[in-house]
């Protein structure tokens, strides 16, 4: 079983693994964001990197936790635990996926909770989508998780029309607690995604 990213030892090991070949394109993209002064978490090297067939696009990273930070299903937050469980139950192997956020930078350092992205932040994230998708030549589909991530659909379709776009609710425990049908929708969507990845 993969160690949780609440462990400093595990975070250090992941940071070392970011130097592996399948991460090289994404690292260049990541550095380009950092060079603009944005506080951006790393991609998870245990995922597929530039070999991924499925992009799971979330909304924005949380400031919770200790550096180095990763966009990962192994983060100890309830949302990431939910995402990990749903992906596992659908049989979607992590090496076929890459996780990222529409707004890739962290909220202000003064934030005590994860703030919903402002319109200007969403628009800034949308500008980055085409260049980011160029780092993923083996991509077959994009899964947009939540209403904020769904804003990326037109941009994805315009720059990579060969990709199939899926939408599902955000796996936030707050959202799932409001109506059990959200969990059913997520599970059904991921089952369709898993089937698509098998035949594409």
């Amino acid at each position: 079983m993969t160690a949780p990213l609440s462990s400093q030892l595990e975070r250090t090991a992941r940071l070392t693994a970011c130097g592996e070949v399948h991460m090289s394109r994404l690292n260049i993209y990541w550095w380009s964001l950092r060079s603009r002064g944005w506080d951006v978490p790393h991609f998870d090297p245990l995922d597929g990197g530039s070999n991924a067939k499925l992009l799971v696009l979330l909304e924005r990273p949380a400031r919770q936790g200790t550096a180095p930070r990763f966009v990962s299903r192994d983060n100890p937050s309830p949302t990431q635990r939910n995402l990990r469980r749903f992906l596992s139950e659908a049989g979607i192997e992590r090496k076929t996926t890459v996780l990222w956020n529409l707004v890739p930078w962290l909220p202000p350092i003064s934030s005590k909770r994860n703030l919903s992205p402002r319109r200007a932040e969403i628009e800034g994230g949308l500008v980055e989508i085409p260049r980011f998708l160029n780092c993923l030549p083996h991509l077959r589909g994009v899964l947009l998780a939540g209403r904020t991530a769904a804003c990326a659909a037109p941009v994805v379709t315009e720059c990579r029309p060969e990709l199939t776009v899926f939408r599902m609710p955000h796996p936030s425990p707050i959202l799932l607690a409001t109506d059990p049908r959200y969990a059913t929708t997520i599970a059904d969507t991921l089952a369709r995604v898993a089937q698509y990845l098998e035949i594409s």
Side-chain angles (χ1 to χ4, degrees):
M1 182 175 178
T2 305
L5 283 168
S6 55
S7 161
Q8 180 64 46
L9 184 63
E10 180 62 22
R11 292 196 300 274
T12 300
R14 298 275 176 111
L15 189 60
T16 299
C18 282
E20 295 178 5
V21 173
H22 71 294
M23 299 297 293
S24 57
R25 290 189 182 193
L26 294 178
N27 286 339
I28 292 171
Y29 174 72
W30 180 86
W31 273 113
S32 74
L33 298 179
R34 296 281 292 191
S35 68
R36 285 180 252 174
W38 291 340
D39 193 355
V40 183
H42 296 273
F43 292 91
D44 189 337
L46 296 191
D47 292 344
S50 60
N51 297 322
K53 293 184 178 181
L54 176 70
L55 165 63
V56 180
L57 193 67
L58 299 159
E59 296 186 349
R60 81 171 311 157
R63 183 159 283 283
Q64 298 166 339
T66 306
R69 295 179 177 86
F70 298 84
V71 182
S72 173
R73 71 194 70 196
D74 298 325
N75 281 321
S77 74
T79 294
Q80 300 307 316
R81 287 197 296 268
N82 285 341
L83 180 60
R84 178 174 180 162
R85 174 173 58 84
F86 281 121
L87 289 170
S88 177
E89 290 174 352
I92 298 175
E93 297 181 9
R94 72 182 303 161
K95 284 295 185 183
T96 68
T97 66
V98 60
L99 273 58
W100 199 234
N101 290 282
L102 173 59
V103 178
W105 55 85
L106 292 164
I109 198 166
S110 58
S111 299
K112 295 182 180 179
R113 59 187 179 88
N114 196 25
L115 302 173
S116 297
R118 300 188 301 271
R119 185 65 210 176
E121 292 179 302
I122 293 172
E123 291 174 353
L126 291 172
V127 169
E128 296 299 322
I129 292 293
R131 195 161 59 93
F132 170 48
L133 291 179
N134 284 338
C135 301
L136 302 169
H138 302 287
L139 211 59
R140 297 293 177 267
V142 177
L143 175 61
L144 306 174
R147 287 181 294 179
T148 298
C151 296
V155 179
V156 171
T157 299
E158 181 178 357
C159 65
R160 294 285 297 273
E162 80 280 9
L163 299 180
T164 299
V165 177
F166 300 88
R167 296 172 179 83
M168 75 175 192
H170 194 275
S172 159
I174 297 174
L175 180 63
L176 296 180
T178 63
D179 190 333
R181 288 176 294 184
Y182 283 123
T184 300
T185 300
I186 291 174
D188 290 346
T189 302
L190 290 176
R192 289 191 292 111
V193 170
Q195 183 178 31
Y196 171 76
L197 292 176
E198 287 181 3
I199 63 177
S200 64

